[in-house]
Structures are given as structure tokens and as C-alpha cells.
Amino acid sequence: MQERNKVYYIKKINYFIDKYYSEKITLKQIAKELNLSPVYISSIYKNHTGITFSEQLLNVRMTNAEKMLIRQNLPTS
């Protein structure tokens, strides 16, 4: 697959993560949306970003949780 197609898929994966991070989202669901195998998506994502899909999903969830705490001025302990 061409490099630009891979970048397109990385952007689509990130879009799904950003949009659905608060829901139960899986690599399998995204693969189905993109008509690709979960193994292939996992491989290109890791190769291009240096982190796994799961790590990115966790990063987005943690960042958004932090923003919510700051916005609501809630204590963290």
C-alpha cells in the first residue's frame, strides 16, 4: 500500500479515537469501518506513530479526563 494511503488510514483511526473515545471502541470496529483487517491497521498504526492503537486511545481518554477535572475544578485526591 502506498505511503499516502497509510497516512490517510492513520488520520481516519485518529478521527475515530477522537470522536468515540468515551465509548467502548475497538480496533476491530474501526477495521470494519475501513474495510481492513485489525492486524493490518494495528501494524501500520504502530509503525507510523510509534505507539499502539490502545495506547493512543488511553492517551486521548486521559487527556480528556484531565481537561474535565480542570474545567470543573475538581480535586484529584
Side-chain angles (χ1 to χ4, degrees):
M1 182 176 285
Q2 291 183 348
E3 191 67 24
R4 68 179 181 173
N5 289 343
K6 291 177 183 178
V7 171
Y8 167 80
Y9 287 121
I10 299 302
K11 288 180 181 180
K12 290 295 281 185
I13 294 165
N14 284 333
Y15 167 79
F16 283 113
I17 290 173
D18 290 341
K19 185 171 182 178
Y20 300 109
Y21 73 88
S22 63
E23 300 175 21
K24 185 175 181 177
I25 183 174
T26 66
L27 192 59
K28 188 176 180 179
Q29 291 169 312
I30 294 174
K32 187 175 179 181
E33 286 289 322
L34 298 176
N35 257 351
L36 297 170
S37 78
V39 172
Y40 180 73
I41 286 180
S42 178
S43 174
I44 65 169
Y45 198 86
K46 173 76 174 179
N47 287 338
H48 281 276
T49 65
I51 60 173
T52 65
F53 164 82
S54 298
E55 289 170 324
Q56 178 61 14
L57 180 58
L58 180 60
N59 288 340
V60 169
R61 286 177 173 165
M62 294 298 287
T63 299
N64 282 286
E66 180 182 18
K67 287 177 185 177
M68 287 175 64
L69 287 170
I70 291 169
R71 195 171 36 240
Q72 296 176 5
N73 200 23
L74 297 174
T76 56
S77 57

